[in-house]
Amino acid sequence: KGKGKGKGKGKGKGPDGDEEQAPKEEPNFEASGLLGLEDNAKNGIPLKFTVPPEARMPTMKWRIYIFMKAQEKPKVVHIHRMQGILFGKDRRVADIPTDHQTCSKQQAVLHHRMVATGEVRPYIMDLESTNGTFLNGQRLEPARYYEMRERDVLKFGMSSREFVLLHAGSANHIAIDPKQLRSDSE
């Protein structure tokens, strides 16, 4: 007996044991993205986009007119009061609900972005939705911004709703006839 190691039978890891201890992991102070994710959430739900650095409040009074088959008059949303507008069927986060089963929870986002000339223009981006976002009948490539112009028509998924972009000047100078603003397919 008498090896001087106490009561144990040499099974534990001692200072002169055969096994080496794994080095302790050093603290990592790099950005994990969790704080950014927390900042980029609405009602506790993470958003699929970040606000671009060139996003600004619009200088024009842009509006979106929502045409639905059941209604004669379009619903008007004044989007010039917001820097970014989220379209989707999740009403907890969507600024403009799409309310259609073929639409994603977070379908697309519209941001007002400053361009090189100093103008602030509306841009739409599909948020990698399953059934797509359509601008004037053309399906948008996901995760890419597209500039929108007056009288552009947005459609989401297979929904028949049409979202028409107009500004206050265009709405005041022309009579809005839903037949003129609808696509030829209807």
Side-chain angles (χ1 to χ4, degrees):
K1 288 185 181 185
K3 288 190 178 179
K5 291 189 180 182
K7 290 184 178 181
K9 296 190 177 186
K11 290 183 182 179
K13 294 182 202 169
D16 37 297
D18 294 343
E19 295 181 36
E20 288 185 27
Q21 283 186 326
K24 185 177 176 182
E25 186 178 331
E26 294 295 317
N28 182 356
F29 297 108
E30 295 293 319
S32 66
L34 292 176
L35 286 175
L37 186 64
E38 196 173 293
D39 287 348
N40 198 31
K42 187 173 181 181
N43 297 331
I45 298 166
L47 298 175
K48 289 184 173 183
F49 66 92
T50 55
V51 177
E54 66 277 6
R56 303 285 185 275
M57 290 302 284
T59 50
M60 270 186 147
K61 291 189 175 183
W62 289 106
R63 300 170 181 169
I64 288 196
Y65 289 78
I66 305 169
F67 290 92
M68 298 176 248
K69 283 188 175 181
Q71 292 179 314
E72 247 339 276
K73 282 188 167 182
K75 181 180 177 186
V76 181
V77 180
H78 298 268
I79 62 170
H80 64 274
R81 299 176 182 151
M82 301 179 268
Q83 196 174 34
I85 298 93
L86 178 63
F87 297 88
K89 69 178 181 183
D90 188 348
R91 287 181 168 265
R92 296 173 297 172
V93 292
D95 298 307
I96 300 178
T98 53
D99 294 336
H100 197 269
Q101 65 269 19
T102 62
C103 295
S104 298
K105 289 179 181 179
Q106 295 180 43
Q107 178 83 23
V109 65
L110 187 147
H111 279 120
H112 301 283
R113 301 171 66 194
M114 184 178 284
V115 293
T117 61
E119 273 185 279
V120 179
R121 297 183 185 159
Y123 281 79
I124 188 80
M125 177 173 62
D126 178 73
L127 297 173
E128 299 176 338
S129 62
T130 306
N131 293 309
T133 298
F134 298 85
L135 178 62
N136 300 324
Q138 298 291 318
R139 186 174 179 147
L140 301 182
E141 223 176 276
R144 185 167 167 234
Y145 279 106
Y146 289 84
E147 182 180 350
M148 290 188 70
R149 298 180 188 253
E150 181 185 7
R151 293 186 175 198
D152 277 353
V153 179
L154 284 172
K155 287 183 96 172
F156 303 106
M158 311 218 182
S159 174
S160 62
R161 288 185 185 185
E162 292 185 336
F163 300 78
V164 181
L165 180 73
L166 294 171
H167 56 70
S170 61
N172 291 335
H173 298 308
I174 61 168
I176 299 172
D177 180 5
K179 290 178 186 85
Q180 285 183 324
L181 297 174
R182 293 190 185 266
S183 63
D184 296 335
S185 64
E186 286 191 29

